[in-house]
Amino acid sequence: MTAAALRALHHGPELPLVLPGPWDAASAKVFADAGFPALATPSAGVAASLGYRDGQTPAAEMFAAVARIARAVDIPVTADVEAGYGLSAEELVGRLLDAGAVGCNLEDTDPATGALRDPREQADWLARVRAAAGDALVVNARIDTYLRGVHDEDETIRRGRGYAEAGADCVYPIAAPPDRLAALATAIGLPLNAVVLPQGPGPRELGALGATRITFGPGLQQQAATALARVAGQLREDLTAGA
């Protein structure tokens, strides 16, 4: 599948675009077989499946996991590649395309410090990624202001506009107040990604509030792990009872 197909899904006719987050090839096939039009890998969910904490997955293992997921399905796959693993724009784009991804998330938190990157530096980085990728990747620019405790809508908008000018296709102000999604989308001028959080609005409501694209972070992997823990507990209980 191509980036053009994924990009078109951000503009209808069925919105919001709901992108489940597979953590391995088996989960990807489940979501594809259920009829979802595209998938978005979550870095935290993939990390958990590989035995790492979020943010600790070696780049080679992350790209290998993305490649297994992309090979398992015939729908577009976009990959969360965190802050780019310190790769050059050209190498990052090459490894994404080699893995079969047609999109990526890139966040504006500096992994070395845990603080927000300078927005101009981040915009320059995104522009280099866009130049290297051409139209071959859908770039979702994550804005971490709210995640990092910077509850400043003007700063979020400034970053979003800068990332839009750099060539991003979509913006992702993670953890933004749901009732501000429409205002942010209008001010920035790009499709807006929102994440489903525990005790927060569901996909349908987030769409009504202004989100174009809905993702789940590691939530679906965590739900699956919880369900598996129940199965394991019941199995252990059954074995103990029969002893």
Side-chain angles (χ1 to χ4, degrees):
M1 298 298 291
T2 66
L6 178 59
R7 193 172 286 113
L9 290 171
H10 290 71
H11 300 278
E14 294 185 15
L15 293 175
L17 171 61
V18 177
L19 301 177
W23 52 94
D24 59 13
S27 59
K29 286 181 67 64
V30 168
F31 294 131
D33 290 347
F36 288 97
L39 303 174
T41 69
S43 65
V46 172
S49 76
L50 296 173
Y52 294 102
R53 297 180 65 178
D54 188 24
Q56 300 301 310
T57 309
E61 293 196 47
M62 183 64 74
F63 287 112
V66 171
R68 289 191 292 271
I69 289 167
R71 282 198 303 267
V73 297
D74 59 1
I75 57 177
V77 172
T78 179
D80 180 355
V81 288
E82 304 177 75
Y85 306 112
L87 301 172
S88 70
E90 292 77 12
E91 186 174 2
L92 176 65
V93 168
R95 294 182 76 169
L96 282 163
L97 296 178
D98 287 346
V102 296
C104 64
N105 275 15
L106 288 168
E107 61 195 51
D108 60 2
T109 291
D110 184 336
T113 65
L116 289 165
R117 292 192 68 192
D118 179 89
R120 289 167 296 183
E121 292 179 0
Q122 182 69 4
D124 288 345
W125 158 245
L126 292 172
R128 292 195 296 274
V129 171
R130 171 54 68 210
D135 291 332
L137 290 175
V138 173
V139 176
N140 187 30
R142 202 177 91 176
I143 306 170
D144 286 359
T145 44
Y146 293 101
L147 188 67
R148 300 301 167 199
V150 181
H151 298 280
D152 183 339
E153 187 166 300
D154 290 339
E155 175 63 14
T156 300
I157 291 169
R158 279 193 294 272
R159 285 175 178 267
R161 287 177 174 171
Y163 304 163
E165 291 174 4
D169 297 282
C170 185
V171 291
Y172 180 14
I174 187 171
D179 63 357
R180 300 307 300 162
L181 295 177
L184 289 169
T186 298
I188 295 170
L190 286 180
L192 185 143
N193 188 148
V195 63
V196 176
L197 296 172
Q199 287 75 56
R204 190 182 299 275
E205 186 177 354
L206 287 171
L209 288 169
T212 296
R213 163 173 161 159
I214 309 296
T215 53
F216 298 83
L220 299 176
Q221 183 272 330
Q222 291 168 351
Q223 289 181 45
T226 298
L228 185 57
R230 287 196 296 268
V231 171
Q234 185 61 58
L235 176 60
R236 184 63 184 168
E237 183 178 323
D238 292 346
L239 289 171
T240 302

